[in-house]
Amino acid sequence: MKVYNPIRIRNVVLLGHSGSGKTTLAETMLFESGAINRRGSVEEKNTMSDYHSLEKERGKSIHSAFLNLDWRGHKINLIDTPGTSDYIGEVAGAVRIADTAIFVLNSEQGVETATDSLWNYVQEYSVPSMFVVNKLDSDQSDFWKTVEEAREHFGREVTVVQFPYSEGSDFHAIIDVLRMTMYEFPEEGGKPDKLPIPDSLKTQAEKLHQELVETIAENDETLMDIYFEQGELDEEQMEKGLHISLVNGQIFPLFCSCASLNMGTGRVMGFLDDVAPNPLQGNPPKTKDGEKFELDPDGNPVMFLFKTHSESHVGDLIYFKVYGGNIRPGMDLVNSRNGNSVRLGSLFLTEGHKRIEINEIRTGDIGAVVKLKDGEVNDTIYEKGNPVELQGIEFPPTTIRTAVKLKKEGEEDKLGHALHQLHREDPSVVIEHSQELRQVIIHGQGEEHLSVIEDQLKNRFNLDVEFVTPKIPYRETITKGVRTHYKHKKQSGGAGQFAEVNMLIEPYEEGMSTPDDMKVRDVQEIDLEWGGKLVFQNCIVGGVIDNRFMPAIIKGIMEKMENGPMSDCRVRDVRVSVYDGSMHSVDSNEAAFKTAALMAFRDGFMKANPKLMEPIYEIVVTVPSEHMGDVMSDLSTRRGQIQGMDGEGSIQKIKAHVPLEELDHYSTRLKSMTQGSATYTRKFSHYAAVPHDVQERVIKENLQEE
């Protein structure tokens, strides 16, 4: 297998909404380059990218697929990614290691919602980006509307390099305003004829050419001087200027294609060869400390692990990108995460499901390794004595959760192993073993995502499981201050137990004052692991309770706070002031004061007008404007409170606060309301009091469980 120098490598990620044609574009690029001799199709379930059984069954990409091809002496590593928001975790790693992003836009639909969230990832990692408007043969195609929407969403830097001669069933030619040539394709697609631009479109082409020249010249002083002097730039100067502007994010070139008809793909690959950055020219990664890390082909070996895929007959196949030196099998290196030594096993390049063994992978290239001991996503592997740790991939927050329940007893360890493996392969899956709720909860990116996880648990790991509604982590608090008292007295032969505690319990607020009749000797502010605070004040005077019993009193209060008096939910934001009590010289001990404090707190809490609180999440719904009314109406039925709206062309962003309980299966409802065109993100915001009917229901359910 040929080994490429970094300057001949292009790492390209294909991004876009589901159905935009990324997989078809990838397949056509492989065919055009000669990497495959027959094009597969999504409909026939035989593409190089979608080779997993679930992908064939569902007719869409679920995993990122890694392909490579040679186009005129350049190696293009092509990463085909899923376009459904449920699988955004698969996209995150691919974007992190790419040097160029191609956004595939469906000319029937324009800019769709998933493309917006993908754009945010690309901007976060400063990946040079370009656009390909696809499906120009559709009767519903509207190229210029798609261009305008792209500019509304991504900025005026979106610059037309090509436009179609015609759209719909008559699509057969592309006008290229960089080369001022028309490419006319044969009916079966493939290599086009280069023709003069027709007179009917020459004025439009010259106008767009001038805009392209001016945009390029604006971003480079040398080219600006040439442009002012000559009034024009030649093709070589324009390609140089395009390269600089692309790398700096000052231009986003836009091309045309009809991937299904094999029209336009060769020109896109030519642009990647001639203009797109190689790994040494792209924006370098950062170290964990935020410093830029420059790739060095002659330097020490450095590799970054960004994806794990498990195969039953092979084990873990871990994908990596080389950021320094050359990587070879048998090397002894060090894992930055734990300092452990690792020995590299066999190295591979991948073409979909095919693995090609290789003896060397150079700086900038992408490969895979098997049997890498203790290797995980986000690990940096380096040469001993030359430590470095690269910044990891930021995976998106989850949007949906479910509890998993075993139907058979005794398989808890097997379930734990399976969930751990799924998280290793897809870190956007978050596994929570909640002692509070007494459930194992899986957090994912959407209903489809959970469905794939369930399928793997059942069919890959042979577990008999069911997904059930997860409980809500409610909190208890109080709304008024109450003085409470408890005397614990126990005599059962031998040493007895005696403790008496008087306390004031109050709802805690920052900066609250102490009652006039109390003198505070000591204050402890305890940040609770489940959120909120317990503020404990020792107000004992005259030594009626010895200081040595104060830790036991706090322990008793905390024990009751962990299983609240009202609904067995955790308590937060309470101030407790112990101001009186008594003890016995023989029978008082820590156990007695712990019990007395627990009982005093329990009794007082129930008299202090207790309230149940629920977690409130801040959500952002990205939705086409035509569905905005339906989404807002639905949010109101979910006790949602609209916080604001932002418009970006035809796409609206609705911000709202919604109780977690109302977000169960919300992603499914949202897709149903909007024909799959809306997405949403969520993050925890705060706790708020529940309505009276919800409080009564939760208390009743808790009593039934007991």
Side-chain angles (χ1 to χ4, degrees), residues 352 458 485-486 547 567 636 642:
K458 290 179 176 178
H485 160 264
Y486 191 85
N547 267 346
S567 63
S636 67
I642 305 299

Side-chain angles (χ1 to χ4, degrees), residues 102-130:
I102 296 180
F103 284 87
V104 183
L105 304 180
N106 182 348
S107 64
E108 299 171 314
Q109 304 294 333
V111 176
E112 299 172 272
T113 52
T115 311
D116 269 327
S117 57
L118 296 169
W119 181 258
N120 292 335
Y121 266 101
V122 165
Q123 294 302 294
E124 181 181 346
Y125 292 118
S126 301
V127 182
S129 302
M130 55 187 286

Side-chain angles (χ1 to χ4, degrees), residues 131 151 154-160 215 249-254:
F131 292 87
R151 286 173 171 165
F154 313 123
R156 307 314 293 181
E157 294 84 3
V158 175
T159 306
V160 174
T215 301
Q250 297 162 325
I251 193 170
F252 309 129
L254 184 142

Side-chain angles (χ1 to χ4, degrees), residues 443-458:
H443 300 261
Q445 302 297 329
E447 202 81 46
E448 269 192 53
H449 195 203
L450 293 183
S451 174
V452 169
I453 293 168
E454 184 178 21
D455 181 272
Q456 292 196 69
L457 288 174
K458 290 179 176 178

